[in-house]
Structures are given as C-alpha cells and as structure tokens.
Amino acid sequence: MRIAINGMGRIGRLLFRRLLHQPGVELVAVNDIMPVDNLVYLLKYDSLYGPFTEPLSLEGNTIVAGGRQVKAYQASDPGMLNWAALGVDVVLECSGKFTSREGASRHLQAGAKKVLLSTTGAPEIPLMIYGFNQHLLHAGIDIVSPGGCMTNCTTHILYLLQSIGIESAHFNILHSYTSRQELVDTSHSQFRRGRAAAESIIPVEVDLVQSLERIFPLKGKLAALSIRVPVTNGALVDCTLQMAEDVTVEQINHLFHTASENSYRQILAYTEDQLVSADFKGNTHSVIIDGSLTSVVGRQLKLIAWFDNEYGYTSRMLDWLAYWKPLM
C-alpha cells in the first residue's frame, strides 16, 4: 500500500515517523506549503517524542529517512499534485483544510484511490470509528473520516455503557494546548483561543456532541466542553453520566477491565495505578480507563479516562490502513 501525507503538522509528522516502520505500507510522498528544509528540521527534532533516531536528510525535493526516499511537495491545492504517477493508494489528509467531500476529492482527482482524513470531516463523509463501526466500510467508499481523538475516546465509553443504559452524559475534556491556540495574547474569532495557551486554563468550543450524535441515538442527551491546560501532550476525559439503573464502582470497573483484556485490548486499556498525563505519552490506546477514580453517587457515574491525543490517534489511523488494504 503506497501512502502520501497532505499536511505536515503534529499528526502528519508523527505519521511520517511511524509509517516508515509500518509493515505492508510504503510512504512515498508528503505535501505541505512550509519550506522543505524547515519540514526536515521539524521531522528530525521533536519537542515531545525526541530526535529522529535514524539518518535524515534532504536531497533535492526528496527526504531521505533511514535510507527510505520520500518525495516532498509544496502545493497549496492537492489537485495540482500527480498522485497517479506515484501510484498512491491512500492519502492521509492531515492539513485540516480539505475536510469536505469536495475538498478531499481533490486528492482523488489527482489520482489517489482513497482518502483518510485526520479529523471528523463534513457530514457527507462517512464517520467511522475504528473498533466501533469500521465494519461498515466497503470497497465503494473512497473517503473516510476516522473521527478525532476525543471522539475515538468517548465513542467506546458510550458504547460499552449503553449495555446498562444512559440517560445523559457530559464530557469535560482536559486537553493539552494545540496549534489552534496562541502562545501570546492576540485576536481570534473565538476570543479565548486567542489567549496565551501556556499561561491559562482555557475553555474552548468543540464539536464532539455533533460527532457523537451522528453515530448514537442520543440526541439531546449529550454535552461536551474542552478545557485546554498548559501542557504540550495528553488529555483526561472527565465523564459524568446519569445511568438508567443503579450501578456500582465495582460493576463499572469490571466492565471496562474485561473489555480491555478481550476484543477491546487494542483500543482500550484499564489501570488503577496512580498515574498522571505524562505517563501516557506514546500510549497507543484511544482510551485508558482510570479505575482508581471511578465513583458513583445515586445513579450518577463519574468516569475518568486518559489518552495521548497524538500517539493514540495516529495508532487508529494506522489500524485503518491495515483494515482498508484488503478492500483496495
């Protein structure tokens, strides 16, 4: 399977690193409007995951990484790229700019066979969460949204708790700051996003509820808020759920612990260790339930889950490539 990445931000660059060692795939090209020498520098030195562990250099418009050659382009419009000539099977659309059917189709028009977004995408694009409804994929689908990191975490929580019954759920996501915020106070259409990200706890608007309502019959029963905190990686999901029947801490922890050891073990993990966000850096799971923090008052359940918003999410994108390959 021949892969190209469009958009070399945090997710694109982490995918670059991981795809080089992914069996059954070959990273053949990347595209980003930044100067290529700057891209090579950012690939070589990463503040979160450390320096690139193999030789990495730029030869003309080709990035040479550990002996592997990856073409580098700087097209602002994917339609200007010749994915057909490179035999690209799947484009990982990580720019955040081509998330509509029309936009993502620019890659198809350039010759790619399929497009996998790195976000939820527009309503006309199928929303498929790996481990939940990936079985809906068929050969005729050419653009897929795998949801975002928060959607991948909360989907599995809702699905497992639906076996008991949910009256309502509120998700408060304490999330590391991102490139969509500012490092010093400045203007922004969402005023709070314009405040210095490393200096404050900052509430921001997220579209998590709209995403979850697309795949669960829970319209009007969900609410969500993201609180950006001054750390560079990791997230904690504080879930408050009103259950349809009485539950116990032991019952809930058993449910998630059992799931983590069986069909969900690739996606969901369970711990009762006294951990903090830094302990989950590089964790491949989309959701790690912290059983030590589960609590119940009446029928109100408090559930705490962790995830690495970059590594966990890219792990699901790699899962999608493996799942999609037989349908090519």
Side-chain angles (χ1 to χ4, degrees), residues 291-308:
S292 71
L293 298 174
T294 305
S295 63
V296 174
V297 177
R299 290 187 175 179
Q300 187 177 87
L301 166 65
K302 174 74 73 175
L303 195 69
I304 301 297
W306 303 89
F307 62 92
D308 180 326

Side-chain angles (χ1 to χ4, degrees), residues 48 69 111 126 136 152 170 195 229 237 270 308:
L48 286 180
Q69 296 188 347
L136 298 177
N152 274 265
H170 194 131
R195 301 298 299 278
V229 294
V237 183
Y270 178 88
D308 180 326

Side-chain angles (χ1 to χ4, degrees), residues 227-265:
I227 306 292
R228 299 296 163 87
V229 294
V231 297
T232 55
N233 179 254
L236 179 153
V237 183
D238 179 350
C239 317
T240 302
L241 304 104
Q242 189 69 24
M243 304 303 293
E245 60 184 62
D246 293 341
V247 295
T248 65
V249 169
E250 294 74 19
Q251 175 191 2
I252 296 301
N253 283 351
H254 178 74
L255 172 67
F256 284 99
H257 195 186
T258 300
S260 73
E261 293 182 333
N262 294 283
S263 59
Y264 267 75
R265 62 185 176 273

Side-chain angles (χ1 to χ4, degrees), residues 11 25-26 39 47 93 99 107 128 184 196 212 217 289 300:
I11 296 300
V25 301
E26 179 184 3
L39 171 57
S47 298
E93 171 46 57
T99 58
H107 293 295
M128 298 184 181
V184 296
L212 292 172
I289 299 296
Q300 187 177 87

